[in-house]
Amino acid sequence: MTILRIETSVNREHSVTRKLTDRIISTLDDANVVTRDIATNPLPLIDSSWASARVKPEDERSALDKEALALSDALVAEVQAADTIVIGAPIYNFTIPASLKAWIDLIARVGVTFRYTENGPEGLLQNKRVIVAFASGGTGLDSAADFASGYLRFMLGFLGLTDVTFVAADQLAMDAEGTIARANAQIDALRQAA
């Protein structure tokens, strides 16, 4: 089994999501783990060169087009090769970190990770499991102030990733010990379900 681990927290040793992703991965036995730490090694934002290159047929792309898409191609290949994707998603200002949005922008590719059909869009990244380690200071998972989890569920589903589980250490500022204990119990339940 191959696990793709996406880390987005700018906190290193004090990151709750990094601790949760460590624990989640420890429950997934005998796995090859590929880590993409996009907080430590930030991704570029999409630009006009990328946007122009992605709509050209592959056999018509210039060397500059291929260069513009090289990182995006590598990120898509990592997702395609993964059986399970573990995403650390701390909440920054009520939504996902900009680094995670940049990753999504780079992997959302028409004709590659989704396509349009006569019945509407169809995600092409199917039969994969996603586990999101969600942490926040005051925002409750699925609360009116949570603009992260709904967006992630929608975008992942749009790409065909519909088996999504959230492990939530939310509202840490109110009850850090209790919410971490509940998150760890959720991880233990994942282990039992595996």
Side-chain angles (χ1 to χ4, degrees), residues 112-164:
V112 179
T113 57
F114 71 94
R115 67 181 171 199
Y116 293 108
T117 71
E118 62 187 28
N119 298 319
E122 176 186 20
L124 301 176
L125 299 172
Q126 299 175 359
N127 303 315
K128 298 175 188 301
R129 180 181 188 193
V130 180
I131 305 169
V132 179
F134 178 100
S136 71
T139 304
L141 178 68
D142 294 324
S143 71
D146 169 17
F147 297 98
S149 65
Y151 171 75
L152 281 174
R153 282 186 189 102
F154 176 83
M155 275 309 301
L156 294 169
F158 183 82
L159 299 175
L161 302 166
T162 57
D163 181 0
V164 180

Side-chain angles (χ1 to χ4, degrees), residues 77-124:
E78 287 175 351
V79 174
Q80 290 171 329
D83 300 295
T84 299
I85 303 165
V86 178
I87 301 172
I91 302 310
Y92 296 162
N93 300 314
F94 308 103
T95 191
I96 61 172
S99 59
L100 185 52
K101 175 65 166 68
W103 179 76
I104 290 169
D105 287 345
L106 287 163
I107 67 165
R109 302 257 306 270
V110 67
V112 179
T113 57
F114 71 94
R115 67 181 171 199
Y116 293 108
T117 71
E118 62 187 28
N119 298 319
E122 176 186 20
L124 301 176

Side-chain angles (χ1 to χ4, degrees), residues 32-68:
N32 171 41
V33 180
V34 175
T35 299
R36 178 68 72 165
D37 188 334
I38 56 180
T40 302
N41 298 300
L43 300 172
L45 300 179
I46 58 172
D47 60 14
S48 59
S49 297
W50 180 89
S52 173
R54 76 182 166 93
V55 296
K56 292 180 183 174
E58 194 169 342
D59 60 348
E60 294 178 19
R61 290 180 186 150
S62 69
L64 289 176
D65 293 331
K66 291 174 185 174
E67 183 180 332

